[in-house]
Amino acid sequence: MTEMLRDFIEGARWFGGKGRDFTLASVRRVGELPGSPDGVHVTIELAEVSYGADSELYQLPLSWYGEQQERLSHALVGSWEDEEFGNAFVYDALHDRDAMQLWLHAFADAGERAPEGPLLFHRLPGHELDLDAHSTLFSGEQSNSSVAFGEDSLMKVFRKVTPGVNPDIAIHEVLTTAGSDHVAALYGWLDVVDEEADSVIQLAMLQQFLRTASDGWELALSSVRNLFAEADLHADEVGGDFAAESARLGVALAETHEVLAAHFPTAVRDREEMGRLADAMRQRLDDALEVVPALGEFADKLRETFDALGSLEGVKVQQVHGDLHLGQTLRTVKGWKLVDFEGEPAKPLADRLLPDSPWRDVAGMLRSFDYAPQVVALTAFATDTGDVEFQQAYRAAEWSARNSTAFLAAYAGRELTPDERVLLSAYVADKAVYEAVYEARNRPAWVSIPLAGIARLSAL
Ligand SMILES: Nc1ncnc2c1ncn2[C@@H]1O[C@H](COP(=O)(O)OP(=O)(O)O)[C@@H](O)[C@H]1O
Ligand SMILES: O=P(O)(O)O[C@H]1O[C@H](CO)[C@@H](O[C@H]2O[C@H](CO)[C@@H](O)[C@H](O)[C@H]2O)[C@H](O)[C@H]1O
């Protein structure tokens, strides 16, 4: 059994430990969905993956059947003898429409009858779920698993889970209750009281399915392709100009920050705290230099940027998105929506709900406006030396400047103060350093994108 579950975890696209040696230290059943027909069980198990020094907890929703299920052959985890259920064929429940119906009904019944067992389904009022909708598992490259129920609702099942509050749920709840236009409304969420961890673990959230959504990153790439197709025209002259969308994104982020500031704790950072933040950025740079030695050329200039940050005081902090880029935005007929408020994946969950500077989110978007044209240029117009041809490099810089300016002007609605400029530059630099490491590890052909961005910052 352990072997089969281990293989299943290792092969899953949401598994974050790919390439690392691991053992499956334990698997514990934390709950069973109510309402299964006789002889069928839908459970949630938590698997502890151990890497020796550290470990991670992964959520596995499983369907258990006495008989083999032809319709689920693509989702078979294995077949073994279970202490509670006897001999069973075990399937990944997220592929199982019958199992997903149980989840949907459990959300619909939340609050209407007393919870059975340790699984606690919660609902927010205001939307009647379509209980006839069929489930479809999203197939994208995701760190969690998302299941759409027709075009009515979307359930995100968190795969790597940690005891305590999940920021994605907490932030969606606040923004939904406040009536924000810039997120998919939260319909409900699932908690489990895990005795072993002696804490609540948040397992899943159900939200509005954004039927008319287009991915912001893909839209930006299309706009850039349009520009490159018209070699003689400037960014403001081509049909696919994105600047008005960038400005709308700026407004959406400003309004989101405003609601978050009103509903989550805020604070003001003194000089000592800013010094510690600058130290952390300098440390990240030192670590990054080990992975990407090419950063060395810019290290002095980057340290100057972080020094300037360390000498600020009286800096306002609040709840932010934490990992914002164009890939976390969706354009619907009703405007832009921001998704995935889980925060920076590398940070422990508890830290992600701590107040932070809103300029971190602004910086994430500015880096993304730099990325989009570079990605198209690198893919379509790279020379033998790996550089981008002059004309396209020029156009790329123009697209980036035009959209960054439109976004920033709409976000702030005024000139930035000198302190805000220092903050923004430091967060942009820190994000680019993070990206250099991310690309070196995940997409080495793209490491030149953050490096070129850092070169431009250093030239200022
Ligand atoms: N409410 C929604 N309606 C429709 N599609 C959505 C919705 N929320 C997210 N998506 C799509 O699902 C993808 C994954 O969502 P995300 O929250 O980023 O998951 P993950 O945490 O696994 O990265 C997004 O890139 C987006 O395209
Ligand atoms: O998967 P996450 O959303 O947590 O984000 C990580 O992966 C992103 C790439 O998918 C990475 O973003 C970088 O590449 C984007 C283009 O693919 C670009 O828009 C971003 O500006 C750039 O930072 C992100 O940094 C990383 O945390």
Side-chain angles (χ1 to χ4, degrees), residues 217 323 325 328 345 367-368 371 431 434-435 438 443 446:
W217 172 248
D323 184 28
H325 52 88
Q328 309 279 38
R367 288 296 311 130
S368 217
Y371 252 76
K431 173 78 184 177
Y434 164 91
E435 287 166 350
Y438 178 88
R443 310 180 286 203
W446 286 11

Side-chain angles (χ1 to χ4, degrees), residues 382-400:
T383 61
D384 293 345
T385 57
D387 296 323
V388 173
E389 285 170 27
F390 180 79
Q391 163 79 355
Q392 278 74 27
Y394 184 84
R395 285 281 180 271
E398 206 177 54
W399 190 97
S400 172

